[in-house]
């Protein structure tokens, strides 16, 4: 930490002036640390187990186990750990914002429906307040709303805040939780998360019982609570009205059902669709329930998609909308039960965006189909830029392309994460659905009829694979073949060997431009073998005109991987042998 940053924190924490002189810069870290250390004590601190903070990092998020009781999954996201992480973020933010002490910075805190949400919200609030910043609690909220709170200008809702924390673990099981962080520049990247975790570990190691007790008292004085979701939903409603020519109820007569999966997205029915005139009867699982009793709140999950499809059919609805737990992902279903998710959702959003921005580049993750490329480039006249898996990777690549003069307005993953340039490159599931609603509303305003058939018509010409499968090949990290090396090095060696193997087969062709793994065309289809972003796994995606063609491609991979005994190919073996 530099002297400037320390002096800003020192003023907020009322650290005595004698410690703040330049000649005493060497004392700064120890003085700041002492904020969490009262008089020397031997009192035990409950739940202060040894924690490897860096293992809590999951790309640009933090994820951990927050609820005990699942065998083999020990707690590592406790209240003291969360408090330390929040204090680490506060210190990071003070440096980034170059706070001069003239005003107190503020951080908004929201959460999804998880059962550990409230205790972590309180812990996070203590960590922020303990660092001398103001806390604005939003309660149940969506991830996109938390980012928006950093750019909204509304004094009544204490906005804009300087930073924001969303407490969520997306679609993971009930015992997990985690954090996402934002400033007005967007979501934090991997390097920032690592920095925050390193700060948090340093603070955590100096916690005392008295210091933690003092932080509880300090938090009470600087925590405020507002209903920010009203601001966020109001903006969504305005966007649809504007697209329809400022009609008050542009969705009047439409029947739209929502499936929130018992996550945080239940607001969409009553706060967005109904004010726009839509009928929402038949909507389901809108009530927050962190045990997720009905299905996994995940638009990629087959059971979840079956549930919303059935709701559309049963209620004879015009459209169905489904969200993940924290509403940064979504999918839809038309009146016939056709799913708009994965490649179809990308195709639909591409069609909408390319109408508005002809010729623009659509950035996607690496597992999208060849048929999607043909659709975007031949039918829609755009450019398909296939990049790496990971929503932050896809978004950052679209931002990079714009910075070097290649126009891009949409970055979207097959998982349902989608971000638009017009919406500050935020992966916002609710905003994606608003773009779809805009299309329906504007079509009606111009005299078109047919409800969701307007959307289905946009997909005309999309070639979809007759057969597709994803197989996960695990790396056994304890196998002697790794020779003490990392699973990542082993996985890279597998990919390099496969690449060389492909070169010797004239029936196969490597993708001329590829940013992740090994992508190969042949037998009328393609396969992609890549290394997982976080886990010791090599996912294998295969798409082909038939099951037999997919087996031929599977056999190619299987033959190439025989030389790697630490790689569990049982899923691939089973697929090939069963077909």
């Amino acid at each position: 930490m530099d002297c400037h940053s320390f002096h800003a924190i020192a003023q907020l924490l009322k650290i005595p002036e004698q410690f703040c002189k330049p000649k005493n810069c060497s004392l700064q870290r120890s003085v700041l640390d002492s904020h969490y250390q009262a008089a020397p004590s031997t009192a035990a601190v409950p739940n202060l187990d040894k924690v490897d903070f860096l293992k809590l990092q999951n790309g640009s998020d933090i994820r951990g186990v927050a609820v005990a009781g699942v065998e083999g999954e020990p707690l590592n996201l406790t209240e003291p750990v969360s408090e330390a992480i929040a204090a680490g973020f506060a210190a990071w933010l003070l440096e980034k914002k170059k706070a001069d002490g003239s005003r107190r910075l503020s951080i908004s805190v929201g959460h999804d429906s998880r059962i550990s949400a409230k205790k972590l919200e309180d812990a996070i609030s203590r960590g922020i307040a303990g660092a001398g910043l103001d806390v604005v609690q939003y309660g149940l909220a969506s991830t996109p709303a938390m980012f928006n709170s950093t750019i909204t200008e509304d004094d009544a809702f204490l906005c804009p805040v300087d930073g924001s924390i969303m407490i969520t673990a997306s679609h993971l099981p009930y015992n997990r939780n985690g954090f996402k962080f934002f400033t007005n520049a967007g979501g934090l990247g991997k390097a920032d998360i690592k920095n925050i975790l390193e700060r948090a570990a340093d603070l955590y190691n100096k916690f005392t019982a008295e210091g933690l007790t003092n932080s509880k008292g300090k938090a009470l004085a600087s925590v405020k609570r507002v209903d920010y979701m009203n601001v966020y939903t109001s903006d969504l409603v305005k966007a649809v009205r504007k697209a329809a020519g400022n009609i008050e109820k542009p969705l009047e007569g439409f029947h739209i059902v929502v499936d929130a999966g018992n996550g945080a997205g239940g607001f969409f029915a009553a706060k967005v669709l109904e004010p726009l005139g839509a009928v929402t009867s038949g909507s389901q699982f809108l009530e927050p329930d962190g045990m997720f009793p009905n299905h996994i709140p995940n638009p990629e999950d087959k059971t979840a998609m079956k549930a919303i499809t059935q709701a559309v059919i049963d209620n004879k609805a015009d459209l169905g909308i489904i969200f993940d737990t924290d509403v940064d992902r979504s999918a839809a279903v038309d009146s016939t039960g056709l799913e708009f998710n994965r490649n179809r959702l990308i195709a639909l959003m591409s069609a909408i965006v390319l109408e508005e921005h002809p010729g623009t580049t659509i950035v996607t993750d690496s597992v999208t189909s060849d048929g999607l490329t043909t659709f975007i480039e031949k039918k829609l006249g755009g450019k398909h830029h296939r990049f790496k898996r990971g929503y932050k990777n896809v978004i950052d690549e679209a931002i990079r392309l714009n910075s070097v003069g290649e126009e891009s307005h949409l970055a979207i993953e097959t998982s349902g994460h989608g971000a638009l340039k017009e919406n500050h490159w935020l992966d916002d599931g609710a905003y994606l659905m608003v773009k779809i609603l805009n299309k329906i509303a504007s079509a009606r305003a111009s005299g078109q009829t047919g409800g969701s058939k307007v959307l289905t018509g946009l997909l005309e010409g999309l070639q979809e694979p007759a057969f597709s499968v994803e197989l996960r090949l695990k790396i056994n990290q304890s196998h002697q073949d790794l020779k003490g090396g990392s699973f990542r090095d082993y996985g890279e060696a597998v990919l390099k060997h496969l690449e060389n193997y492909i070169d010797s087969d004239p029936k196969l062709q490597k993708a001329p431009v590829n940013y992740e793994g090994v992508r190969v065309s042949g037998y009328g289809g393609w396969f992609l073998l890549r290394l997982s972003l976080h886990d010791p796994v090599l996912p294998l995606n295969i798409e082909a005109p038939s099951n037999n063609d997919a087996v031929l491609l599977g056999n190619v991979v299987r033959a190439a991987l025989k030389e790697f005994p630490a790689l569990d190919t049982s899923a691939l073996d089973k697929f090939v042998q069963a077909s």
Side-chain angles (χ1 to χ4, degrees):
M1 176 183 303
D2 60 27
C3 294
H4 178 89
S5 300
F6 172 76
H7 293 315
I9 300 174
Q11 284 180 294
L12 289 171
L13 298 183
K14 296 182 173 58
I15 292 172
E17 180 65 28
Q18 65 265 30
F19 292 111
C20 300
K21 295 176 180 177
K23 66 180 181 180
N24 287 322
C25 282
S26 61
L27 295 174
Q28 292 176 356
R29 183 170 290 281
S30 60
V31 172
L32 185 59
D33 292 339
S34 71
H35 176 69
Y36 268 105
Q37 300 177 69
S41 170
T42 58
V45 182
N47 296 325
L48 218 54
D49 299 323
K50 186 173 178 59
V51 173
D52 186 341
F53 275 74
L54 293 182
K55 285 190 175 177
L56 294 171
Q57 182 164 2
N58 185 274
S60 53
D61 300 343
I62 286 172
R63 300 270 177 87
V65 179
V67 177
V70 177
E71 187 176 351
E73 297 187 11
L75 280 175
N76 59 3
L77 197 63
T78 62
E79 291 177 67
V81 166
S82 302
E83 186 169 337
I85 291 171
F89 175 56
W92 177 91
L93 188 66
L94 282 162
E95 285 191 10
K96 288 291 180 183
K97 296 288 184 179
K98 293 183 169 53
D100 59 7
S102 61
R103 68 179 183 91
R104 289 169 66 95
L105 300 188
S106 62
I107 297 176
S108 59
V109 181
H111 60 78
D112 65 20
S113 60
R114 293 175 180 278
I115 61 175
S116 56
K118 181 58 184 170
K119 70 175 184 179
L120 294 191
E121 179 187 51
D122 291 342
I124 286 286
S125 299
R126 293 194 295 271
I128 297 167
L133 281 68
D134 286 335
V135 183
V136 187
Q137 291 184 350
Y138 290 171
L140 187 70
S142 71
T143 291
M146 300 311 295
F147 165 74
N148 273 273
S149 69
T150 69
I151 57 175
T152 296
E153 295 188 9
D154 193 326
D155 291 340
F157 289 87
L158 309 178
C159 289
V161 291
D162 299 286
S164 183
I165 302 176
M166 176 65 179
I167 303 169
T168 182
S170 189
H171 62 281
L172 293 182
Y174 76 92
N175 66 323
R176 309 293 183 88
N177 217 327
F179 311 121
K180 294 184 178 184
F181 303 87
F182 301 95
T183 67
N184 60 0
L188 271 58
K190 293 179 182 178
D192 298 321
I193 299 300
K194 183 182 179 186
N195 183 301
I196 288 166
L197 288 171
E198 288 171 344
R199 294 171 187 265
D202 193 37
L203 284 165
Y204 182 83
N205 289 334
K206 296 178 178 66
F207 276 178
T208 65
E210 288 88 347
L212 290 172
T213 300
N214 290 343
S215 74
K216 291 184 179 181
K218 193 174 184 70
L220 294 175
S222 59
V223 172
K224 299 178 178 64
R225 197 171 181 92
V226 299
D227 185 8
Y228 177 77
M229 287 302 290
N230 273 337
V231 178
Y232 174 69
T233 55
S234 156
D235 286 344
L236 296 178
V237 169
K238 288 175 186 173
V240 180
R241 285 176 177 155
K242 182 179 178 181
N246 296 316
I247 299 171
E248 180 71 13
K249 294 191 175 184
L251 298 180
E252 193 161 24
F254 284 117
H255 188 173
I256 303 174
V257 295
V258 175
D259 185 328
N262 301 112
F267 69 85
F268 201 80
K271 294 290 187 71
V272 177
L273 294 176
E274 290 176 12
L276 292 168
V279 173
T280 63
S281 58
S283 292
Q284 59 193 17
F285 318 139
L286 304 183
E287 308 78 16
D289 186 338
M291 295 303 291
F292 310 122
N294 294 291
H295 61 70
I296 297 170
N298 180 4
E300 282 193 288
D301 182 69
K302 290 181 179 179
T303 302
M305 289 307 298
K306 184 177 179 180
I308 182 61
T309 299
Q310 196 61 50
V312 168
I313 301 300
D314 289 348
N315 290 279
K316 296 181 173 58
D318 297 296
L319 188 70
I321 292 172
I322 185 168
F323 296 111
D324 76 338
T325 320
D326 59 324
V327 201
D328 60 0
R329 293 188 296 142
S330 57
V333 176
D334 80 355
S335 58
T336 69
L338 180 72
E339 298 174 359
F340 297 122
N341 67 344
R342 298 187 64 79
N343 280 286
R344 278 197 210 120
L345 179 62
I346 297 173
L348 177 59
M349 288 305 304
S350 296
I352 292 170
V353 168
L354 279 159
E355 279 186 353
E356 299 169 353
H357 306 281
T360 198
T361 295
I362 309 297
V363 181
T364 74
D365 59 345
S366 60
V367 301
T368 47
S369 72
D370 289 346
L372 179 65
T373 302
T374 301
F375 181 72
I376 291 172
E377 298 190 347
K378 305 299 183 186
K379 172 74 187 299
L380 302 179
K383 180 179 177 183
H384 183 197
H385 183 87
R386 190 184 283 120
F387 198 58
K388 300 175 183 176
R389 286 281 277 178
Y391 72 93
K392 198 74 169 65
N393 290 331
V394 172
I395 291 170
D396 287 348
E397 179 67 359
I399 293 170
R400 185 193 70 79
L401 289 177
N402 280 288
S403 73
V404 298
E406 182 173 340
E407 182 192 76
S408 175
H409 284 270
L410 174 64
I412 185 166
E413 266 203 313
T414 49
S415 65
H417 280 288
L420 291 118
K421 184 179 181 181
E422 70 187 52
N423 192 38
H424 311 282
W425 289 118
L426 177 65
D427 55 318
D428 185 343
Y431 194 82
L432 279 193
M433 293 302 105
V434 160
K435 291 293 287 185
I436 288 174
L437 295 175
N438 286 351
K439 186 63 184 173
I440 294 175
S442 60
R444 168 185 274 184
S446 64
Q448 296 182 53
T449 58
S452 62
K453 290 179 182 177
V454 170
L455 305 175
T456 312
L458 292 176
L459 299 187
E460 186 179 342
L462 174 65
Q463 299 169 357
E464 300 197 62
F467 184 88
S468 65
V469 66
E470 179 173 286
L471 306 167
R472 295 175 68 79
L473 315 181
K474 296 180 181 178
I475 299 172
N476 180 357
Q477 296 183 81
S478 60
H479 195 284
Q480 61 182 11
D481 201 42
L482 266 69
K483 300 181 178 64
S486 71
F487 78 80
R488 192 158 294 282
D489 290 341
Y490 194 83
E492 293 294 349
V494 171
L495 294 175
K496 184 63 179 174
H497 178 78
L498 176 62
E499 197 168 7
N500 293 334
Y501 184 91
I502 296 306
D503 287 338
S504 64
D505 191 335
K507 296 177 183 176
L508 303 171
Q509 182 180 4
K510 284 190 303 185
V513 179
N514 188 52
Y515 294 94
E516 183 174 44
V518 179
R519 187 180 179 108
V520 175
S521 298
Y523 302 106
W526 60 270
F527 72 77
L528 171 71
L529 186 70
R530 62 185 177 86
L531 184 58
S532 170
L533 294 174
H534 311 297
D535 303 317
V537 173
L538 287 161
L540 172 64
N541 291 83
I542 303 175
E543 288 191 359
S546 68
N547 182 282
N548 288 339
D549 293 318
V551 169
L552 291 173
L553 289 170
N555 273 321
V556 169
V557 180
R558 190 182 182 206
L561 303 187
K562 287 189 300 185
E563 298 180 28
F564 294 89
L567 189 63
D568 179 5
T569 60
S570 57
L572 176 56
D573 297 339
K574 184 178 179 182
F575 165 68
V576 169
Q577 292 163 3
S579 301

